[in-house]
Amino acid sequence: NREPSFEGMSLEELLFEARTRQDPVQIHKALSLAEALSPDNLEVHRGLLMLGRLYQRNPRQPDFSLIKCYLFHSFEHPEHHREQALRDMARELFDDERLARCMQLSSDPDSFLRTYLEDLAREYMRIFVAGDTSHFPRVFGMSFKGGMQKYLAVPARDIITNMLCSPFLSPREAVLLARAFYRAYYEHAQGDVSALDELLGTAVCARLGEEIA
């Protein structure tokens, strides 16, 4: 298949291409052209922010770290990362230059930040938590997903507690991030959070519900 050419397209056409294409290389190309046309367009910057480095992928050498939401892996499996990587992954969630530009362009920066974190959390929940069959017990070699919420509550608990005690996040950032992931779990579990709440305990649940200073 010939690579599509987006040259000469309007901003609206480029944004449509970016929303409807599946290939991250093509999405990045469309968004980059859109950015050249409209450097202060929030939708363009948000698209590039959420795409991250996925357009750099090599199909022959899978690299999960190119997926933006993979930053949450540092909280699910901190043992898999060196301390500097843990710091870098945590800080990228809040210090990304593209995020700063988006918040500058947004009429409600706090709402933008919250929605951005929730979208990343949903993606991580879908791809790396619910999509990981090792979280479910195996019976006769087959993965058994009955009582899904109960099994997914364990990695969700780990992620949330590691966020809340991260030395690389401010208390406000930690609560924002933990709330985002709790919401992602809530949505995936269709509101059945009893197993997760039991694992988190009263003190953590209370902290998640507190006002953020």
Side-chain angles (χ1 to χ4, degrees):
N1 288 346
R2 210 169 48 141
E3 279 292 305
S5 172
F6 303 127
E7 299 296 336
M9 286 189 176
S10 68
L11 176 64
E12 290 72 22
E13 288 169 329
L14 289 167
L15 287 171
F16 175 80
E17 293 290 346
R19 285 193 296 267
T20 56
R21 294 274 175 181
Q22 298 298 316
D23 184 340
V25 174
Q26 295 173 8
I27 295 170
H28 182 259
K29 183 178 179 182
L31 288 172
S32 296
L33 288 168
E35 184 179 17
L37 279 181
S38 182
D40 296 331
N41 185 286
L42 179 57
E43 185 179 347
V44 172
H45 283 285
R46 193 182 197 285
L48 287 165
L49 173 67
M50 298 303 291
L51 182 64
R53 296 184 297 125
L54 191 56
Y55 66 96
Q56 298 174 356
R57 70 178 182 174
N58 179 348
R60 293 184 184 140
Q61 291 181 308
D63 181 357
F64 290 132
S65 71
L66 297 177
I67 302 172
K68 185 72 172 180
C69 72
Y70 186 76
L71 296 172
F72 282 68
H73 195 262
S74 64
F75 301 105
E76 184 180 6
H77 291 294
E79 71 280 6
H80 292 177
H81 304 276
R82 296 179 183 274
E83 184 174 359
Q84 186 59 49
L86 293 174
R87 177 189 295 275
D88 291 346
M89 292 169 82
R91 291 318 316 159
E92 187 179 333
L93 284 163
F94 290 92
D95 297 343
D96 187 307
E97 288 183 11
R98 184 77 66 177
L99 171 62
R101 183 72 178 120
C102 287
M103 291 177 68
Q104 185 182 41
L105 292 170
S106 174
S107 59
D108 187 346
D110 288 341
S111 176
F112 183 94
L113 178 62
R114 186 176 66 251
T115 304
Y116 151 76
L117 294 174
E118 288 175 357
D119 284 350
L120 285 182
R122 281 189 202 98
E123 199 173 331
Y124 190 82
M125 183 75 203
R126 177 177 60 83
I127 298 172
F128 294 104
V129 180
D132 185 350
T133 56
S134 71
H135 291 137
F136 304 101
R138 300 184 76 81
V139 180
F140 303 119
M142 296 177 64
S143 179
F144 175 67
K145 294 194 176 183
M148 176 189 72
Q149 290 88 336
K150 181 176 70 172
Y151 300 118
L152 294 184
V154 176
R157 180 271 316 273
D158 294 344
I159 291 167
I160 289 169
T161 52
N162 284 330
M163 286 171 172
L164 291 173
C165 67
S166 172
F168 310 121
L169 299 173
S170 71
R172 181 178 184 275
E173 290 169 341
V175 171
L176 272 173
L177 197 56
R179 278 185 183 172
F181 195 81
Y182 184 93
R183 181 165 186 81
Y185 176 91
Y186 175 92
E187 291 176 4
H188 194 88
Q190 297 180 315
D192 184 357
V193 291
S194 55
L196 177 57
D197 286 352
E198 187 176 349
L199 288 174
L200 289 174
T202 306
V204 171
C205 289
R207 188 176 173 192
L208 291 175
E210 288 173 359
E211 286 292 317
I212 299 180

